[in-house]
Structure formats: structure tokens, C-alpha cells
Amino acid sequence: MGALAHYLEEEGIPTTQISLIRKHTEFIQPPRALWVPFELGRPLGFPDNPELQKKVLLSALVLFEAAEGPLLADFPDIDGKPPSAADPEFAVWACPINLEAVSEGETDSEKLLSAFKREMASLRPWYDLSLERRGRTALGLFDSDTASELLGAYASGKPAEIRIKNLTIAVALRLAAQDLKAFYFEAAMARPGTVLPESAAFNKWFWDETAAGQILRAVKERCLKAEDKAVRMTGAMLLVPLGQTQE
């Protein structure tokens, strides 16, 4: 975006942007940029914090008042300290819902699938509560049942039925995985008094402690052995984050 900003400015269109990686912005030197100390994927800060998000946007827009650039401004402190995903308020988190323990590298596909189904059933009331309270969900094409059925079947080596027309199996698996993770996050956050987790804490819980994490790993392993190149690429890059790959 920083490089594109230079071309837009040459055409007389003023630009401003939000920077997450300071070194990149310092190198590209866009006309105006606001550096924020949030993790990748969260340029506006923590979810469900509209006041913070509004402050970030206004801080980026106010850079239009600068007479000349390049300008790289720091996002102002909040309550006397820089906002950080490492703040204790966000870093200390444990899922408030007790789920069945799942062993790492579970190889019995039927046992894993059964645990996955019980896990989904346990989370369903909490997801429904989240949906009722917030009036919205991050789930996309797949509802949780359809996503779990597709992924569970594929992980078990069974025929995977795609109920949505014109979707390849590679795309269907990727979208189903995204919707499954959204279901887990929203369900885990629905209990009253639950502290919003920093994403690293949620990811550790999801990938290390849930049957869903093991299911997605099993899906990945099957994808890597597929004849379809797109399916192999999905398994290699789009299902399990590199940092969550088990040795």
C-alpha cells in the first residue's frame, strides 16, 4: 500500500495509511503513515473495542493535515501506555468452557471424530448465545454443522460432500476451516465475564487443546497426499499456520 500511495499522490490524490511493520514503512517512505503496535491482521487494534478502533482511524486521517511528507507517526499512548497485544489484560486467557482432553497426534480417526462431534455439541449453546447477543457472526458460506461434517469426513478418509454448488474441494476445505475457527472463537467468548484473548492465546488453545485442531491437522495430512495440485497447496499453506505445525 505504501508503494501504491506514491503513484496516487503523483495523480493528485492525497493518501494516508496504517502501518503494522515499521521497517517496511521506513523503507518505502509513503507520504503519510500511522504506525500502530498491534499484531498482524489487527490494524485497528483489539476486536469489539469500537472506541479504540475509532481512535486509530482518526489518528490516521489527521495525518492529512501535515503540510509535507514523508511522515511516519506513532499511534498515541492509551492511558499513559502504548496499546499492546502483550498487555496482561489480553495475554492471560483460558477457555471458560471445559472440553474433553484430546491427545496430540491422535491417530484413531473414529475416536477423534467422535470427540470432535461431542466438542461441537458442547460449544453449540455458547455460539448461539454469542449470535443472539451480538446479532452477527464471522461465519461465511458454511454454517458450523456443514463445515464440521465436511472437515470430519475428509479427515477420516470418507467421501466429503460439498453442499454448495460450484465450489472445488480445495476451496471448500479452506472456507470450511475458516468458518470452523470462527465458530470456536465466538463460542469460547460467549460466556459472561470472559476476557477477550490475544490471538496467540486463542490459537494455542485451539490448536493444542481441541479436537477441531487435530481434525484440521488430519485434513492437512490428507490434502498433502492428494493428486489435485490445488488440494495439496491448500493443505500445505491454507489450513494450519506454520507456527502451529507439530513436529
Side-chain angles (χ1 to χ4, degrees), residues 6-112:
H6 286 292
Y7 290 101
L8 294 174
E9 295 269 346
E10 289 177 359
E11 297 298 323
I13 302 174
T15 64
T16 186
Q17 70 177 70
I18 295 173
S19 166
L20 287 166
I21 305 178
R22 190 181 188 92
K23 286 186 177 181
H24 290 182
T25 308
E26 290 174 344
F27 178 79
I28 296 173
Q29 295 187 323
R32 301 166 198 82
L34 174 73
W35 178 78
V36 295
F38 305 124
E39 62 184 308
L40 292 178
R42 288 185 174 176
L44 299 182
F46 307 109
D48 292 329
N49 192 333
E51 290 303 316
L52 172 61
Q53 293 161 1
K54 179 180 179 181
K55 187 170 184 179
V56 174
L57 286 173
L58 291 177
S59 297
L61 293 174
V62 78
L63 298 184
F64 281 124
E65 298 176 358
E68 59 182 16
L71 171 64
L72 177 56
D74 291 338
F75 183 61
D77 293 356
I78 297 177
D79 297 330
K81 65 176 181 178
S84 170
D87 285 346
E89 178 182 359
F90 296 94
V92 180
W93 179 82
C95 178
I97 304 167
N98 293 323
L99 298 179
E100 177 181 343
V102 180
S103 301
E104 290 188 4
E106 174 65 72
T107 57
D108 189 323
S109 61
E110 290 302 320
K111 287 184 178 180
L112 177 57

Side-chain angles (χ1 to χ4, degrees), residues 138-232:
L139 269 71
L141 284 179
F142 290 91
D143 58 49
S144 58
D145 290 335
T146 305
S148 63
E149 289 173 9
L150 173 64
L151 295 167
Y154 194 88
S156 303
K158 300 175 182 178
E161 179 183 359
I162 305 175
R163 299 182 183 179
I164 300 175
K165 294 181 179 180
N166 302 321
L167 280 188
T168 64
I169 184 63
V171 173
L173 290 172
R174 174 172 60 82
L175 296 180
Q178 292 175 355
D179 288 339
L180 181 69
K181 286 183 283 187
F183 171 83
Y184 270 69
F185 182 84
E186 292 174 18
M189 295 311 303
R191 193 166 185 172
T194 300
V195 175
L196 186 69
E198 186 266 329
S199 64
F202 171 79
N203 285 333
K204 178 174 175 54
W205 168 73
F206 181 84
W207 293 107
D208 293 351
E209 300 180 28
T210 71
Q214 296 298 324
I215 284 287
L216 289 185
R217 286 193 172 96
V219 171
K220 172 182 177 177
E221 291 305 313
R222 185 179 174 192
C223 284
L224 294 177
K225 300 174 183 177
E227 295 183 1
D228 188 318
K229 182 178 179 181
V231 174
R232 293 199 306 273

